[in-house]
Amino acid sequence: MSDNMTSTIKIEKAANSKINKVDFNNLAFGHVFTDHMFECDFINGEWVNPQVVPYQPLTLDPSAKVFHYGQAVFEGMKAYRDDEDKIWLFRPEDNLNRINISSKRLAIPEFPKDIFFEGLTQLLKLDEAWIKKGYGNSLYIRPVVFATESGVSASPSNRYKFLIICSPAQSYYGGEVRVKIENHYSRSADGGFGYAKAAGNYAGQFYPTKLAQDEGYQQVIWTDASTHKYLEEAGTMNVFFRINDTLYTAPTGERILDGITRKSIIAMAEELSIPVDVRPVRVEEVIEAANNGTLKEIFGAGTAAVINPIVGFGYKDQKWELPKLENPYSSTIKKAITDIQYNKAKDPYGWRYEVK
Ligand SMILES: *Cc1c(COP(=O)(O)O)cnc(C)c1O
């Protein structure tokens, strides 16, 4: 970023760091936050007052529109420290582009690229000590934008706040994951906003996911809203199926979020000569493959875990377990992607972005 941009971001340092109180070997995902946060407000038609300040609670009017109408979108990204203490982001421009795509759908003003990168850079430099070395360690970065105008009239807000908060993370392992193929509830629909990383998409998932958890599953695989015949996403991740030696995943579109991990997996699979077929995947063909032994893997794809292997699934009253493979695609591809993230491998795609 250009040096003169730096002067536009005001910086207020925290008096004390909390870092010594944090047990970095025992981090639950997304519970501890770093010393600082970035904020910027949309007032009178422009984004103003970008600043990095101590992490702190906000004061909002009880009638702030975000509480009543859910006008909020967010992002999830990570920073990594390599062996030489350089700090890297992974395809951050895609996160910025996507938050603006999400914002547009929720009638939220787009956020400027230069302020995003400058604010994020200043924040990460201040909180650099929170990004720990070593495979699996990272800093989870959560940009979020929401409506702050007071008043309960049902119309888009004319004020917004853009925040970036950060939480140290360890390699993510949530135990064995079994998924329920959902044939009633839907996450998204044609003409809806399933492609947006909108807060409301998550709120709408919690109840059906809880019902699946009550049945002994950890997650839901969402099917298309109109026929429930096509497999779309696994919880809040994109989803891949390996039948024989080919990987299948649904094309993104209005109902399916364009995951950065998903498209990195597709590129990496091609690099590794793993055949990938991007096309609608039918529930029926996956069940048939499970029955005849050709279904070898299912995995979710998202920033938090990169790849989250799924060990079994259920549909209506039946359950299936997947085979335990020696060298699953999920491990090979995950390693290839994380090696790029941690600057352990060449980056022919230009996915890495150094924070300096
Ligand atoms: C965030 C998200 C993903 C994964 O996107 P990444 O860019 O890979 O982190 C997939 N599906 C949904 C619904 C999401 O919200």
Side-chain angles (χ1 to χ4, degrees), residues 333-353:
I333 298 172
K334 179 172 178 172
K335 177 165 192 312
I337 291 177
T338 49
D339 279 354
I340 291 181
Q341 291 172 330
Y342 287 90
N343 191 23
K344 285 178 188 295
K346 283 214 188 81
D347 177 22
Y349 311 97
W351 286 344
R352 271 195 304 263
Y353 174 99

mmCIF file of all heavy atoms in Angstrom, residues 333-353:
data_model
loop_
_atom_site.group_PDB
_atom_site.id
_atom_site.type_symbol
_atom_site.label_atom_id
_atom_site.label_comp_id
_atom_site.label_asym_id
_atom_site.label_seq_id
_atom_site.Cartn_x
_atom_site.Cartn_y
_atom_site.Cartn_z
ATOM 1 N N ILE A 333 -4.937 -32.748 -0.757
ATOM 2 C CA ILE A 333 -5.268 -31.397 -1.233
ATOM 3 C C ILE A 333 -5.109 -30.387 -0.098
ATOM 4 O O ILE A 333 -4.600 -29.290 -0.294
ATOM 5 C CB ILE A 333 -6.698 -31.365 -1.817
ATOM 6 C CG1 ILE A 333 -6.790 -32.301 -3.037
ATOM 7 C CG2 ILE A 333 -7.079 -29.941 -2.223
ATOM 8 C CD1 ILE A 333 -8.204 -32.499 -3.577
ATOM 9 N N LYS A 334 -5.508 -30.783 1.100
ATOM 10 C CA LYS A 334 -5.369 -29.865 2.229
ATOM 11 C C LYS A 334 -3.901 -29.506 2.451
ATOM 12 O O LYS A 334 -3.549 -28.348 2.662
ATOM 13 C CB LYS A 334 -5.962 -30.472 3.504
ATOM 14 C CG LYS A 334 -5.826 -29.551 4.715
ATOM 15 C CD LYS A 334 -6.585 -30.067 5.914
ATOM 16 C CE LYS A 334 -6.373 -29.139 7.105
ATOM 17 N NZ LYS A 334 -7.222 -29.477 8.240
ATOM 18 N N LYS A 335 -3.044 -30.495 2.384
ATOM 19 C CA LYS A 335 -1.616 -30.227 2.595
ATOM 20 C C LYS A 335 -1.092 -29.285 1.511
ATOM 21 O O LYS A 335 -0.354 -28.335 1.804
ATOM 22 C CB LYS A 335 -0.818 -31.525 2.607
ATOM 23 C CG LYS A 335 0.671 -31.251 2.743
ATOM 24 C CD LYS A 335 1.506 -32.445 3.122
ATOM 25 C CE LYS A 335 2.931 -32.047 3.515
ATOM 26 N NZ LYS A 335 3.611 -31.135 2.597
ATOM 27 N N ALA A 336 -1.473 -29.533 0.272
ATOM 28 C CA ALA A 336 -0.977 -28.691 -0.827
ATOM 29 C C ALA A 336 -1.416 -27.239 -0.639
ATOM 30 O O ALA A 336 -0.643 -26.307 -0.875
ATOM 31 C CB ALA A 336 -1.482 -29.239 -2.158
ATOM 32 N N ILE A 337 -2.653 -27.041 -0.168
ATOM 33 C CA ILE A 337 -3.146 -25.669 0.015
ATOM 34 C C ILE A 337 -2.507 -25.022 1.247
ATOM 35 O O ILE A 337 -2.055 -23.878 1.190
ATOM 36 C CB ILE A 337 -4.689 -25.654 0.106
ATOM 37 C CG1 ILE A 337 -5.274 -26.005 -1.268
ATOM 38 C CG2 ILE A 337 -5.203 -24.282 0.573
ATOM 39 C CD1 ILE A 337 -6.787 -26.102 -1.312
ATOM 40 N N THR A 338 -2.415 -25.767 2.347
ATOM 41 C CA THR A 338 -1.829 -25.152 3.546
ATOM 42 C C THR A 338 -0.333 -24.870 3.337
ATOM 43 O O THR A 338 0.190 -23.902 3.867
ATOM 44 C CB THR A 338 -2.055 -25.997 4.821
ATOM 45 O OG1 THR A 338 -1.693 -27.340 4.536
ATOM 46 C CG2 THR A 338 -3.487 -25.966 5.268
ATOM 47 N N ASP A 339 0.341 -25.688 2.538
ATOM 48 C CA ASP A 339 1.751 -25.392 2.236
ATOM 49 C C ASP A 339 1.892 -24.040 1.539
ATOM 50 O O ASP A 339 2.861 -23.326 1.774
ATOM 51 C CB ASP A 339 2.361 -26.502 1.368
ATOM 52 C CG ASP A 339 2.782 -27.708 2.201
ATOM 53 O OD1 ASP A 339 2.716 -27.633 3.451
ATOM 54 O OD2 ASP A 339 3.169 -28.737 1.607
ATOM 55 N N ILE A 340 0.941 -23.710 0.706
ATOM 56 C CA ILE A 340 0.982 -22.384 0.066
ATOM 57 C C ILE A 340 0.655 -21.307 1.107
ATOM 58 O O ILE A 340 1.334 -20.284 1.190
ATOM 59 C CB ILE A 340 -0.002 -22.315 -1.124
ATOM 60 C CG1 ILE A 340 0.501 -23.214 -2.263
ATOM 61 C CG2 ILE A 340 -0.164 -20.870 -1.605
ATOM 62 C CD1 ILE A 340 -0.361 -23.219 -3.505
ATOM 63 N N GLN A 341 -0.336 -21.571 1.947
ATOM 64 C CA GLN A 341 -0.739 -20.573 2.946
ATOM 65 C C GLN A 341 0.404 -20.231 3.898
ATOM 66 O O GLN A 341 0.573 -19.078 4.290
ATOM 67 C CB GLN A 341 -1.954 -21.081 3.737
ATOM 68 C CG GLN A 341 -3.216 -21.132 2.873
ATOM 69 C CD GLN A 341 -4.382 -21.815 3.552
ATOM 70 O OE1 GLN A 341 -4.208 -22.710 4.383
ATOM 71 N NE2 GLN A 341 -5.599 -21.405 3.190
ATOM 72 N N TYR A 342 1.202 -21.244 4.277
ATOM 73 C CA TYR A 342 2.290 -21.032 5.238
ATOM 74 C C TYR A 342 3.625 -20.766 4.550
ATOM 75 O O TYR A 342 4.677 -20.851 5.181
ATOM 76 C CB TYR A 342 2.413 -22.240 6.177
ATOM 77 C CG TYR A 342 1.302 -22.315 7.199
ATOM 78 C CD1 TYR A 342 0.126 -22.998 6.929
ATOM 79 C CD2 TYR A 342 1.427 -21.682 8.437
ATOM 80 C CE1 TYR A 342 -0.911 -23.065 7.857
ATOM 81 C CE2 TYR A 342 0.411 -21.747 9.365
ATOM 82 C CZ TYR A 342 -0.759 -22.435 9.077
ATOM 83 O OH TYR A 342 -1.774 -22.490 9.996
ATOM 84 N N ASN A 343 3.586 -20.467 3.260
ATOM 85 C CA ASN A 343 4.812 -20.166 2.517
ATOM 86 C C ASN A 343 5.823 -21.297 2.589
ATOM 87 O O ASN A 343 7.017 -21.080 2.718
ATOM 88 C CB ASN A 343 5.435 -18.853 3.028
ATOM 89 C CG ASN A 343 6.545 -18.367 2.110
ATOM 90 O OD1 ASN A 343 6.592 -18.726 0.928
ATOM 91 N ND2 ASN A 343 7.436 -17.549 2.641
ATOM 92 N N LYS A 344 5.326 -22.536 2.508
ATOM 93 C CA LYS A 344 6.215 -23.693 2.477
ATOM 94 C C LYS A 344 6.335 -24.233 1.056
ATOM 95 O O LYS A 344 7.093 -25.162 0.798
ATOM 96 C CB LYS A 344 5.679 -24.811 3.377
ATOM 97 C CG LYS A 344 5.867 -24.554 4.858
ATOM 98 C CD LYS A 344 5.253 -25.722 5.633
ATOM 99 C CE LYS A 344 5.217 -25.475 7.120
ATOM 100 N NZ LYS A 344 6.533 -25.381 7.737
ATOM 101 N N ALA A 345 5.512 -23.704 0.166
ATOM 102 C CA ALA A 345 5.530 -24.190 -1.217
ATOM 103 C C ALA A 345 5.445 -22.999 -2.160
ATOM 104 O O ALA A 345 5.035 -21.911 -1.754
ATOM 105 C CB ALA A 345 4.332 -25.121 -1.458
ATOM 106 N N LYS A 346 5.846 -23.232 -3.397
ATOM 107 C CA LYS A 346 5.724 -22.188 -4.419
ATOM 108 C C LYS A 346 4.256 -21.822 -4.582
ATOM 109 O O LYS A 346 3.367 -22.630 -4.325
ATOM 110 C CB LYS A 346 6.249 -22.724 -5.760
ATOM 111 C CG LYS A 346 7.748 -22.763 -5.830
ATOM 112 C CD LYS A 346 8.169 -22.463 -7.291
ATOM 113 C CE LYS A 346 9.651 -22.687 -7.463
ATOM 114 N NZ LYS A 346 9.959 -24.133 -7.648
ATOM 115 N N ASP A 347 4.052 -20.611 -5.044
ATOM 116 C CA ASP A 347 2.689 -20.101 -5.184
ATOM 117 C C ASP A 347 2.459 -19.656 -6.631
ATOM 118 O O ASP A 347 2.434 -18.467 -6.924
ATOM 119 C CB ASP A 347 2.517 -18.924 -4.207
ATOM 120 C CG ASP A 347 1.164 -18.262 -4.314
ATOM 121 O OD1 ASP A 347 0.216 -18.909 -4.811
ATOM 122 O OD2 ASP A 347 1.054 -17.088 -3.912
ATOM 123 N N PRO A 348 2.310 -20.636 -7.513
ATOM 124 C CA PRO A 348 2.205 -20.275 -8.941
ATOM 125 C C PRO A 348 0.965 -19.437 -9.250
ATOM 126 O O PRO A 348 0.919 -18.767 -10.285
ATOM 127 C CB PRO A 348 2.138 -21.634 -9.648
ATOM 128 C CG PRO A 348 1.696 -22.600 -8.605
ATOM 129 C CD PRO A 348 2.213 -22.087 -7.297
ATOM 130 N N TYR A 349 -0.017 -19.462 -8.354
ATOM 131 C CA TYR A 349 -1.281 -18.756 -8.638
ATOM 132 C C TYR A 349 -1.280 -17.323 -8.121
ATOM 133 O O TYR A 349 -2.211 -16.579 -8.383
ATOM 134 C CB TYR A 349 -2.443 -19.492 -7.972
ATOM 135 C CG TYR A 349 -2.463 -20.972 -8.228
ATOM 136 C CD1 TYR A 349 -1.924 -21.859 -7.304
ATOM 137 C CD2 TYR A 349 -3.009 -21.474 -9.406
ATOM 138 C CE1 TYR A 349 -1.921 -23.217 -7.544
ATOM 139 C CE2 TYR A 349 -3.013 -22.834 -9.649
ATOM 140 C CZ TYR A 349 -2.474 -23.698 -8.717
ATOM 141 O OH TYR A 349 -2.471 -25.037 -8.947
ATOM 142 N N GLY A 350 -0.280 -16.963 -7.324
ATOM 143 C CA GLY A 350 -0.299 -15.630 -6.719
ATOM 144 C C GLY A 350 -1.389 -15.505 -5.659
ATOM 145 O O GLY A 350 -2.006 -14.465 -5.490
ATOM 146 N N TRP A 351 -1.614 -16.576 -4.895
ATOM 147 C CA TRP A 351 -2.657 -16.574 -3.858
ATOM 148 C C TRP A 351 -2.186 -15.881 -2.577
ATOM 149 O O TRP A 351 -2.988 -15.336 -1.833
ATOM 150 C CB TRP A 351 -3.061 -18.019 -3.526
ATOM 151 C CG TRP A 351 -3.907 -18.663 -4.577
ATOM 152 C CD1 TRP A 351 -4.576 -18.040 -5.597
ATOM 153 C CD2 TRP A 351 -4.160 -20.076 -4.704
ATOM 154 N NE1 TRP A 351 -5.242 -18.976 -6.347
ATOM 155 C CE2 TRP A 351 -5.002 -20.231 -5.836
ATOM 156 C CE3 TRP A 351 -3.763 -21.213 -4.001
ATOM 157 C CZ2 TRP A 351 -5.467 -21.478 -6.238
ATOM 158 C CZ3 TRP A 351 -4.226 -22.442 -4.411
ATOM 159 C CH2 TRP A 351 -5.063 -22.583 -5.523
ATOM 160 N N ARG A 352 -0.876 -15.963 -2.313
ATOM 161 C CA ARG A 352 -0.369 -15.376 -1.069
ATOM 162 C C ARG A 352 -0.245 -13.867 -1.196
ATOM 163 O O ARG A 352 0.099 -13.353 -2.247
ATOM 164 C CB ARG A 352 1.018 -15.939 -0.754
ATOM 165 C CG ARG A 352 1.029 -17.194 0.053
ATOM 166 C CD ARG A 352 2.413 -17.474 0.630
ATOM 167 N NE ARG A 352 3.469 -17.543 -0.357
ATOM 168 C CZ ARG A 352 3.942 -18.681 -0.882
ATOM 169 N NH1 ARG A 352 3.457 -19.843 -0.499
ATOM 170 N NH2 ARG A 352 4.902 -18.656 -1.774
ATOM 171 N N TYR A 353 -0.459 -13.191 -0.066
ATOM 172 C CA TYR A 353 -0.353 -11.724 -0.023
ATOM 173 C C TYR A 353 0.409 -11.396 1.241
ATOM 174 O O TYR A 353 -0.044 -11.711 2.340
ATOM 175 C CB TYR A 353 -1.763 -11.148 0.003
ATOM 176 C CG TYR A 353 -1.858 -9.652 0.185
ATOM 177 C CD1 TYR A 353 -2.054 -8.801 -0.905
ATOM 178 C CD2 TYR A 353 -1.773 -9.088 1.470
ATOM 179 C CE1 TYR A 353 -2.141 -7.436 -0.731
ATOM 180 C CE2 TYR A 353 -1.868 -7.710 1.645
ATOM 181 C CZ TYR A 353 -2.050 -6.888 0.535
ATOM 182 O OH TYR A 353 -2.147 -5.541 0.719
#
